[in-house]
Amino acid sequence: MSNSRFRAVEEAFVRETVVAVPPARATSEYYGCNVFNRKNMRKYLSADTRQKVYESIEQGVTLSREVAEHVAAGMKRWAMDMGATHYTHWFQPLTGGTAEKHDSFAEPYGKGESLEEFTGKLLCQQEPDASSFPSGGLRNTFEARGYTAWDPSSPAFIMGDCLCIPTVFISYTGEALDYKAPLLKSETAVSKAAAEVLKYFGIEEDFVYSYLGWEQEYFLVDAALYAQRPDLIMAERTLVGHNSARNQQLEDHYFGSIPGRVIEFMKDLEFECYKLGIPIKTRHNEVAPNQFEIAPVFEQANLAIDHNLVLMALMKTVAEKHGFKVLLHEKPFAGVNGSGKHCNWSLGTGSGIGLMSPGKTDEENLRFLTFMANVLKAVYDNNALLKACVLTASNAHRLGANEAPPAIISSFLGTQVTTAFNELLNSTDMVKISGKSGYSLGIPQIPQLLIDNTDRNRTSPFAFTGNRFEFRAVGSSANCASAITVLNTITAYQLERFKEAVDKRIAAGTPVMQAVLDETRETYRACQKVCFDGNGYSDEWKAEAAKRGLDCETSAPVVYDAFLSPQTLEIYKDTNVMTDVELRARTEINWEIYCKKIEIEVRVLADLTANHILPVATRYQSILLDNVSKMKEIFSPGEYEQVAAGEIQIIKDIAIHTSEARALAIEMEKVCDEVSACECERSKAVGFHDKVIPYLEKIREHVDALEMIVDDDMWPLPKYRELLFIR
């Protein structure tokens, strides 16, 4: 398809698009207006009811049905005043997205009349069909009953005309079928374990929270061009496409001026986010062309994850208003950087004490080192599990490339923290940790710079960045509850083991602070091998990591075995986050989803090759053949041999590439069918990884070669140079 036709389609699409321009007013005037937050609760709930809700949110107190009735009544009045006509239990099934079933407030009453009804029972519990969501064998297809239950800690919100109530989703027999239920259990586990350790430092806290600040990367492409790419529509990534002559090599897109069309999209998106109380703070261009990032300030992890899922849904609807499509796939384009969702994770108390922040006193610094050492030990002991919770069929394209963290979980600490731990190893005394230092650039008008206590390492999958760890390996399309649940759970388990060891020392007569100091030293000593501040992309590190005993497996189906290791089963059982049955079910789902995504790519690529690419290549070849044959009529044999040689070679190249691509596509589908027939999900997933995926790259090589041969006007797909640069 020619460029002129692309532009015509694109311009027609944009003309039909209606863009809602946000009003020019202060964010504070409308922030959270679509959320049943404390401000709105004060208008619609009594003081006593509000207090009960606050206790539920802050202290985990279970709300009575009577209180739920009062909340439901106030929530309904507020929602209807905001124009809502329906309500839904909004939940996070194991598909990785969100789910909702809308019910009307309208209830038939009398003869031909109706009234609006929303009771405490409807607020607290609903019954969606559980058989149609992934269950990993927990539910048969004929066993349909499941339950959603209200999560008061995440406020209800309005999307369109619907009141959305965040909920957990469980099976009829009680197993979690979602991401939220295990997350909330992991929050409880790490809160309890951390609070117990804090008592050594004289801090009595009922609750310790995990905090999350996510950084959402994404691509934008013109909707008209997207509509011409079956691979983007069906597989969410380009399965073919020759590299653009210019992409990110000039490094001019990163933090560059945001294109006008994109800034309008961002403003509209932020407006919608602020109405829903999503505290968006940052927007900027990312490394690859058409790649961008949006990030909020930190929130408690449960709410932050809900906000991220809402954002991903908002991005798609807002983008369509601006003639864009949002791509959240981790690697939608070959040859340029993919997208991640960096999860900045930390622990803190309700009173504002950051457990991963150095202090001003010896005791505060010991507290910092204690929690740091325990997190590092948890990461070291469970580095395969951490990789398993982020490695998907799509994220596998990104991890390990020289653009993202390697597929080896290690932790960067920085010079000052590493020095502090090394001093701890060689001393029995308290350790000093210096805070921010400053230096002058020698330019009079430039103020002194304050330098953080750690640099940043972009190659580290789990880097300490001053008062938090940045888990960089999480994929852009992921529900980050998976990663945060694992981090909370393994940290809770390790803190429990730490407390047991400290209590033994105290029972043997060691003073409390000395016992904590000694056990912190030994904890760090036992996990030093997970700490690495160098280049995570280097081959030398891969060899070194293997020597250190870190998990270096790169096959996602094999990595998923970590969910079922005896160690993992013990950790989840001890912390009461998930049962063996639930873990096995989720692992089956991981294998199943992996297989389905690869199979979709196979079917799409086979169709593209047979029905889009090869017919066009053959048609162009016919044009060349006709031209070559006509040359014989006007050139002598000697001249003909000279002038036609180039086109004859092109004709041969087309023949070779079309023949190879056709044969490989047929063979790929045959192998795919054979692998799909396997009844064991793990064996099937391993088969897709080992036997099927190689065909995708082999076919791509031939198709991409044809793209550089065939007449541009004839090529049926938008090319990278068009997809990657917004006009």
Side-chain angles (χ1 to χ4, degrees):
M1 185 181 289
S2 68
N3 291 340
S4 60
R5 285 183 62 192
F6 280 137
R7 284 194 290 272
V9 172
E10 180 182 354
E11 289 168 4
F13 186 94
V14 172
R15 280 197 302 271
E16 295 172 1
T17 301
V18 178
V19 178
V21 180
R25 53 185 173 135
T27 303
S28 57
E29 293 181 26
Y30 60 89
Y31 188 85
C33 65
N34 285 354
V35 182
F36 196 58
N37 51 24
R38 298 196 180 202
K39 178 180 178 181
N40 287 318
M41 285 184 192
R42 286 194 291 271
K43 296 180 182 178
Y44 291 89
L45 300 181
S46 68
D48 183 59
T49 300
R50 288 200 311 272
Q51 184 60 38
K52 293 291 193 301
V53 174
Y54 298 162
E55 289 174 358
S56 177
I57 295 171
E58 297 169 358
Q59 303 173 26
V61 176
T62 302
L63 292 175
S64 68
R65 288 286 177 164
E66 180 183 0
V67 172
E69 288 290 347
H70 293 306
V71 175
M75 194 181 289
K76 182 192 74 173
R77 289 196 303 273
W78 168 75
M80 291 179 62
D81 287 348
M82 293 293 294
T85 58
H86 289 68
Y87 64 91
T88 183
H89 273 200
W90 182 84
F91 59 101
Q92 304 169 25
L94 297 174
T95 57
T98 59
E100 53 197 68
K101 173 178 68 74
H102 296 193
D103 288 306
S104 173
F105 286 126
E107 187 72 22
Y109 173 74
K111 297 181 179 180
E113 299 179 3
S114 73
L115 52 78
E116 284 71 31
E117 182 179 62
F118 185 60
T119 64
K121 179 181 178 182
L122 295 175
L123 168 64
C124 291
Q125 181 177 315
Q126 285 281 314
E127 185 193 323
D129 186 339
S131 65
S132 299
F133 292 102
S135 71
L138 289 176
R139 304 292 288 158
N140 293 308
T141 54
F142 59 85
E143 295 174 324
R145 198 182 297 275
Y147 297 107
T148 50
W150 176 36
D151 171 21
S153 64
S154 184
F157 56 93
I158 292 174
M159 292 278 278
D161 67 349
C162 191
L163 170 66
C164 299
I165 304 158
T167 61
V168 299
F169 179 40
I170 62 173
S171 74
Y172 180 71
T173 48
E175 295 89 0
L177 294 177
D178 70 342
Y179 285 101
K180 182 183 276 282
L183 172 70
L184 294 176
K185 289 184 178 181
S186 76
E187 294 268 283
T188 299
V190 77
S191 176
K192 180 180 177 182
E196 289 297 313
V197 172
L198 282 175
K199 290 178 181 178
Y200 295 132
F201 300 93
I203 300 173
E204 295 288 337
E205 286 279 350
D206 292 330
F207 283 90
V208 174
Y209 300 99
S210 65
Y211 290 91
L212 172 63
W214 40 262
E215 303 169 28
Q216 179 70 60
E217 295 175 345
Y218 61 96
F219 280 86
L220 288 176
V221 297
D222 284 309
L225 301 180
Y226 173 91
Q228 301 298 319
R229 294 286 313 211
D231 47 359
L232 280 179
I233 294 171
M234 304 297 292
E236 301 176 315
R237 75 178 181 105
T238 53
L239 298 173
V240 296
H242 196 280
N243 287 342
S244 171
R246 175 183 173 182
N247 46 61
Q248 68 187 49
Q249 67 265 51
L250 294 178
E251 301 173 332
D252 57 343
H253 187 68
Y254 190 53
F255 278 26
S257 177
I258 302 173
R261 283 180 62 196
V262 176
I263 201 71
E264 291 305 313
F265 156 76
M266 289 179 169
K267 286 161 60 177
D268 202 359
L269 177 61
E270 288 175 352
F271 175 61
E272 296 299 327
C273 286
Y274 291 148
K275 289 194 296 183
L276 288 164
I278 304 174
I280 295 302
K281 186 70 173 178
T282 300
R283 65 189 185 200
H284 64 81
N285 290 2
E286 257 299 333
V287 174
N290 280 17
Q291 188 186 35
F292 308 94
E293 180 179 296
I294 185 170
V297 298
F298 277 64
E299 299 180 280
Q300 289 182 21
N302 178 41
L303 182 58
I305 290 165
D306 284 0
H307 279 165
N308 180 246
L309 292 168
V310 173
L311 170 88
M312 290 195 288
L314 279 176
M315 291 171 79
K316 295 176 182 178
T317 57
V318 174
E320 289 181 358
K321 296 178 183 179
H322 292 263
F324 289 128
K325 282 289 184 178
V326 169
L327 305 182
L328 293 174
H329 191 285
E330 283 74 14
K331 192 74 171 179
F333 302 105
V336 299
N337 277 19
S339 298
K341 177 151 45 194
H342 303 164
C343 287
N344 295 277
W345 170 84
S346 64
L347 298 174
T349 69
S351 59
I353 300 173
L355 304 187
M356 295 175 189
S357 298
K360 297 180 180 179
T361 67
D362 287 348
E363 191 168 294
E364 288 175 349
N365 282 333
L366 176 57
R367 185 185 70 216
F368 163 72
L369 291 176
T370 294
F371 280 94
M372 286 286 291
N374 278 281
V375 170
L376 292 171
K377 182 65 161 57
V379 171
Y380 175 66
D381 289 344
N382 301 279
N383 66 97
L385 177 62
L386 274 174
K387 181 163 56 179
C389 76
V390 298
L391 191 55
T392 61
S394 54
N395 205 19
H397 293 284
R398 170 179 162 265
L399 294 183
N402 288 346
E403 60 176 78
I408 302 169
I409 302 298
S410 64
S411 185
F412 166 85
L413 296 182
T415 302
Q416 292 187 13
V417 178
T418 300
T419 299
F421 270 121
N422 287 338
E423 289 179 4
L424 178 65
L425 290 178
N426 299 305
S427 172
T428 58
D429 299 326
M430 294 288 188
V431 174
K432 304 289 184 183
I433 302 175
S434 57
K436 291 186 178 183
S437 58
Y439 66 74
S440 173
L441 295 179
I443 305 173
Q445 61 267 42
I446 303 297
Q448 185 184 54
L449 297 179
L450 289 178
I451 308 304
D452 288 289
N453 55 22
T454 174
D455 197 354
R456 295 198 180 194
N457 187 324
R458 294 180 62 83
T459 72
S460 176
F462 196 72
F464 181 66
T465 57
N467 59 1
R468 63 192 182 275
F469 281 98
E470 183 179 17
F471 193 14
R472 297 175 56 84
V474 183
S476 55
S477 66
N479 182 332
C480 39
S482 177
I484 301 305
T485 298
V486 170
L487 282 172
N488 286 345
T489 303
I490 62 177
T491 301
Y493 182 81
Q494 171 55 33
L495 287 171
E496 290 174 357
R497 306 289 78 73
F498 178 83
K499 184 178 185 304
E500 290 173 358
V502 170
D503 287 347
K504 286 182 180 179
R505 291 179 182 272
I506 294 172
T510 305
V512 172
M513 283 296 99
Q514 189 64 48
V516 172
L517 179 67
D518 292 345
E519 191 57 35
T520 298
R521 181 188 306 109
E522 295 311 309
T523 299
Y524 177 72
R525 193 191 306 280
C527 66
Q528 278 181 282
K529 293 178 180 179
V530 82
C531 299
F532 177 68
D533 286 7
N535 181 8
Y537 295 159
S538 69
D539 291 334
E540 291 80 5
W541 166 236
K542 294 175 184 177
E544 173 63 22
K547 289 181 182 178
R548 295 188 184 192
L550 301 180
D551 189 281
C552 299
E553 181 60 60
T554 58
S555 168
V558 176
V559 168
Y560 294 154
D561 290 343
F563 283 113
L564 301 179
S565 72
Q567 177 174 292
T568 300
L569 296 175
E570 164 61 25
I571 289 172
Y572 275 81
K573 179 181 179 181
D574 178 86
T575 54
N576 195 36
V577 173
M578 278 194 280
T579 65
D580 293 6
V581 171
E582 289 171 318
L583 281 168
R584 293 183 189 282
R586 283 162 196 265
T587 309
E588 286 286 325
I589 291 169
N590 286 337
W591 285 321
E592 180 183 351
I593 290 176
Y594 183 89
C595 293
K596 288 178 178 178
K597 289 199 171 184
I598 303 302
E599 186 171 7
I600 288 171
E601 293 187 352
V602 166
R603 306 303 180 194
V604 171
L605 183 57
D607 171 62
L608 275 178
T609 303
N611 298 317
H612 296 251
I613 307 300
L614 298 188
V616 171
T618 303
R619 189 157 60 247
Y620 182 63
Q621 184 185 47
S622 297
I623 294 173
L624 296 180
L625 283 166
D626 183 60
N627 186 52
V628 167
S629 66
K630 289 178 179 177
M631 284 183 182
K632 290 183 178 180
E633 300 175 6
I634 59 174
F635 291 105
S636 66
E639 291 174 325
Y640 172 78
E641 198 171 300
Q642 181 178 357
V643 299
E647 287 200 27
I648 290 173
Q649 184 59 53
I650 292 174
I651 291 168
K652 289 180 179 179
D653 289 343
I654 292 175
I656 291 171
H657 289 306
T658 54
S659 175
E660 286 292 321
R662 181 178 289 108
L664 285 168
I666 293 171
E667 190 176 336
M668 175 179 66
E669 287 197 284
K670 181 181 178 182
V671 174
C672 181
D673 290 339
E674 292 172 354
V675 171
S676 296
C678 181
E679 294 184 0
C680 171
E681 288 295 340
R682 184 188 186 279
S683 299
K684 186 192 299 185
V686 170
F688 271 108
H689 178 274
D690 295 347
K691 300 177 181 179
V692 177
I693 286 180
Y695 282 100
L696 296 171
E697 291 306 313
K698 291 178 183 177
I699 294 171
R700 181 179 193 136
E701 290 176 9
H702 293 290
V703 171
D704 289 358
L706 288 170
E707 181 183 325
M708 299 304 290
I709 297 173
V710 174
D711 185 345
D712 185 63
D713 280 345
M714 295 178 65
W715 193 251
L717 304 173
K719 296 184 177 181
Y720 272 25
R721 70 167 184 266
E722 295 147 342
L723 290 166
L724 284 173
F725 294 94
I726 291 173
R727 295 187 294 277

